[in-house]
Amino acid sequence: MFVTILRSPVLLQLKPKLGYQKYLTRLRTVSLAGAVTIGAAAYYCYECFWNTSMEFIHHPEAIEKHILNIFADIKYKPTLYIPHRLMQLAYATRWEQKLDIEFERQLFKLSDGGQLALDWKNKHVVTNKPLILITHGLTGGSETNYIKHAAETLANAGYQVVCFNQRGVANCELLTSKYHFHGCTNDLREVINYLQENKQKGQQIFGLGFSIGGSLLLKYAGEEGYKCKLNRVFSVANPYDLLDCSHNIMKFRNKIYDWSITCNFKMLLKQHQNSLAENQKTKGIQIEEALQAKNTYEFDELITRRLFDFDSPEQLYSSIGCGNYIKDVKVPVFIMHSKDDPIVPQFLVPYDQIKQNPNIIVGLTNRGAHVEWFTGFKPRRWIMNPILKYFEEIQSL
C-alpha cells in the first residue's frame, strides 16, 4: 500500500515542480500521514470488533464473583457504520424508530398530595419471577426507547415490570407546585414500600436503573443499608458525582449531550409552567428566562437550585450523586459502564470505593456510549443481553 502511495501520479508530478528535497519532504509527510491513518483505523477496528469481551472490576472477595463466567459468551460489537459515541447518540435521537409499546398506567398518589406515573407490563400476570422496577435518566421516562426496550424485553421473558416516572415526566400532570428532584429518594421510597406491600407472595423486587436513575437506586440502597427492600440492583451508565459530571459535560466535545438534556428540561418546564408558576413568587424561579437557557447549568441556576433551596448549581449537583453512599450498599449490585461514555468517563468512576464493597461488581465494554450500545447491521439495543442474562442466572442459583 505504501508503494502505491509513493508511486501515485500526483506525487510523481510534484517531483519536477518542487525539486528533489522538497519532493522527499512532501513524500515523508504523506507517508507518515498514511501510516498514522492506517494504524489508527486498525486499532479502532480491533477495539470495536475484536477486543469485545467484557471486563470486570470488584472486591477480591466479591459476593457474586462466581457468576461472572455467565458473561463469557456475551460480547459487544457496535454497529459497523455508527461505532463512535457521537454517531450512536445521533442515531438514537434522530433516526432510531420509535417503539410502539403500550403500558398500563397507574397514577400513584404521594403523601404530600403530589402524584407520579407507574407504567406497568404484565401487571396482572401471576409469576414466580421477580418484579423489576425500572428508573429512567434525565432525558425522559417510559416514553423513551431505551426504557420501552428494557420493559418489553423483560416482559417477554415473563417478568412483571413497572417503570417509575418522576413527577411531571412521561406526560403525567403535576397536582402540586412541587417538581421532581433526581437527588431525593423520598418518592422512590414511597413507591418501593407500596410495591413491597402489594407484590405477589414470595416475590422479589429487582431494581434496574439507567443513568441518573441508576444513581437514584444506589443512593436509596445506601441510605437503607440492610433495610433495603430491593433484593438487588442492576445499574447502567451510573453517574456518581454530578458536580464532576457537570464539569465534564460542559466541555466543548460534549456540548451535544448538554444541548440534548437542556432541550428536554425546557420541554418539561413548558409543559408544566402553569403548575410551577406560583414558585416564581415563593422560590424566585425564572420560567421565561429558563425557557431560553443555553445549557443545563444555566437552567439549573434559574429553576432547579431555587426550587429545592440550594445556594448554587454546584451545591445542587453535590447533593445528587450516589458516590458517598457506595460504602453503605448491602444488597448485590451490578453496574454496567462503557469506556467511551462521554457523560460518565472512566476517570469519574470511583473504582477505589467500589473495590472496597464486596456487594458491587462493575462490568465494562470498550464501546457503547452512554445508554446506547447499538449493535447489528440494522441497529438494535444490545444492553438488555447482559441484563437479562444476569437476572435469569441469579434465579437459577
Side-chain angles (χ1 to χ4, degrees):
M1 187 168 185
F2 288 111
V3 173
T4 303
I5 294 174
L6 295 176
R7 293 180 177 177
S8 67
V10 175
L11 287 177
L12 290 175
Q13 290 173 14
L14 287 175
K15 184 174 181 180
K17 295 180 181 179
L18 295 175
Y20 187 69
Q21 290 299 326
K22 290 184 178 180
Y23 170 74
L24 284 180
T25 301
R26 183 69 58 86
L27 199 60
R28 292 190 190 101
T29 302
V30 173
S31 299
L32 179 60
V36 170
T37 301
I38 293 169
Y43 175 75
Y44 199 74
C45 288
Y46 169 75
E47 284 289 295
C48 290
F49 307 114
W50 280 274
N51 187 21
T52 56
S53 297
M54 291 174 59
E55 297 178 36
F56 303 98
I57 295 174
H58 53 77
H59 186 281
E61 301 300 326
I63 293 172
E64 293 191 339
K65 69 177 181 180
H66 58 282
I67 70 166
L68 296 182
N69 61 340
I70 68 173
F71 298 109
D73 61 342
I74 297 183
K75 304 178 187 298
Y76 173 64
K77 296 181 180 181
T79 297
L80 180 64
Y81 50 90
I82 53 170
H84 193 272
R85 60 194 184 189
L86 292 179
M87 295 177 183
Q88 296 221 0
L89 173 66
Y91 182 84
T93 55
R94 296 295 181 186
W95 295 292
E96 186 183 17
Q97 185 177 358
K98 291 294 182 184
L99 298 177
D100 185 18
I101 295 172
E102 293 185 0
F103 293 99
E104 180 178 344
R105 173 153 290 191
Q106 174 186 355
L107 293 177
F108 184 82
K109 297 298 188 289
L110 295 157
S111 59
D112 64 358
Q115 72 173 4
L116 53 79
L118 299 178
D119 286 330
W120 289 83
K121 298 288 289 184
N122 292 345
K123 182 178 182 180
H124 305 290
V125 172
V126 178
T127 178
N128 59 358
K129 290 192 172 185
L131 167 62
I132 310 296
L133 171 65
I134 300 178
T135 55
H136 60 81
L138 285 174
T139 54
S142 59
E143 80 280 11
T144 58
N145 264 11
Y146 69 94
I147 296 294
K148 286 182 177 180
H149 178 254
E152 184 76 355
T153 302
L154 291 166
N156 289 341
Y159 293 89
Q160 272 193 319
V161 182
V162 57
C163 301
F164 168 89
N165 294 293
Q166 294 271 18
R167 300 182 191 223
V169 175
N171 297 311
C172 182
E173 180 186 3
L174 286 178
L175 296 184
T176 69
S177 60
K178 186 175 180 180
Y179 205 34
H180 64 261
F181 176 42
H182 290 280
C184 181
T185 58
N186 290 343
D187 291 354
L188 177 67
R189 184 174 285 101
E190 286 193 41
V191 169
I192 292 175
N193 289 342
Y194 165 80
L195 296 176
Q196 182 68 27
E197 293 172 1
N198 293 275
K199 65 183 178 65
Q200 298 176 28
K201 185 176 180 180
Q203 189 178 37
Q204 293 187 319
I205 304 177
F206 291 176
L208 171 58
F210 291 87
S211 191
I212 203 166
S215 180
L216 188 68
L217 288 177
L218 287 186
K219 188 173 184 180
Y220 163 80
E223 289 174 346
E224 295 294 308
Y226 289 109
K227 296 180 181 179
C228 180
K229 294 179 181 178
L230 296 175
N231 296 95
R232 64 183 62 249
V233 173
F234 197 113
S235 178
V236 180
N238 177 81
Y240 303 85
D241 187 324
L242 270 293
L243 181 58
D244 286 342
C245 286
S246 70
H247 292 156
N248 178 65
I249 203 173
M250 292 296 287
K251 293 178 180 177
F252 178 77
R253 65 176 180 269
N254 293 325
K255 283 292 185 181
I256 188 171
Y257 291 92
D258 187 49
W259 171 82
S260 178
I261 295 171
T262 305
C263 287
N264 183 71
F265 284 179
K266 292 193 288 187
M267 178 192 70
L268 286 175
L269 177 62
K270 189 172 184 179
Q271 181 181 344
H272 299 296
Q273 60 181 334
N274 291 334
S275 299
L276 296 171
E278 70 176 67
N279 290 301
Q280 293 183 110
K281 292 183 178 179
T282 60
K283 298 283 188 178
I285 68 170
Q286 300 179 39
I287 293 178
E288 293 302 322
E289 291 82 353
L291 290 173
Q292 305 302 318
K294 296 186 173 83
N295 53 58
T296 53
Y297 184 92
E298 190 175 322
F299 183 95
D300 287 331
E301 164 58 33
L302 296 167
I303 299 292
T304 319
R305 72 95 179 163
R306 299 173 189 230
L307 273 177
F308 299 100
D309 302 319
F310 289 100
D311 294 331
S312 67
E314 287 83 0
Q315 189 183 53
L316 166 74
Y317 300 147
S318 297
S319 73
I320 295 177
C322 66
N324 292 331
Y325 298 87
I326 291 293
K327 65 182 184 305
D328 300 316
V329 172
K330 303 303 180 185
V331 297
V333 171
F334 194 101
I335 305 174
M336 195 77 179
H337 282 295
S338 167
K339 291 182 180 178
D340 71 342
D341 189 330
I343 296 176
V344 191
Q346 286 296 284
F347 66 86
L348 293 184
V349 180
Y351 286 121
D352 288 341
Q353 294 181 51
I354 289 171
K355 287 189 287 187
Q356 292 175 21
N357 189 330
N359 297 295
I360 302 176
I361 293 176
V362 173
L364 290 167
T365 58
N366 283 316
R367 306 289 168 182
H370 188 50
V371 295
E372 284 77 28
W373 274 287
F374 288 112
T375 191
F377 183 77
K378 183 179 180 180
R380 62 186 185 278
R381 291 180 180 269
W382 169 90
I383 189 58
M384 286 308 299
N385 292 353
I387 292 173
L388 189 58
K389 187 80 170 179
Y390 175 75
F391 285 161
E392 292 287 304
E393 183 66 20
I394 286 301
Q395 295 172 75
S396 67
L397 295 178

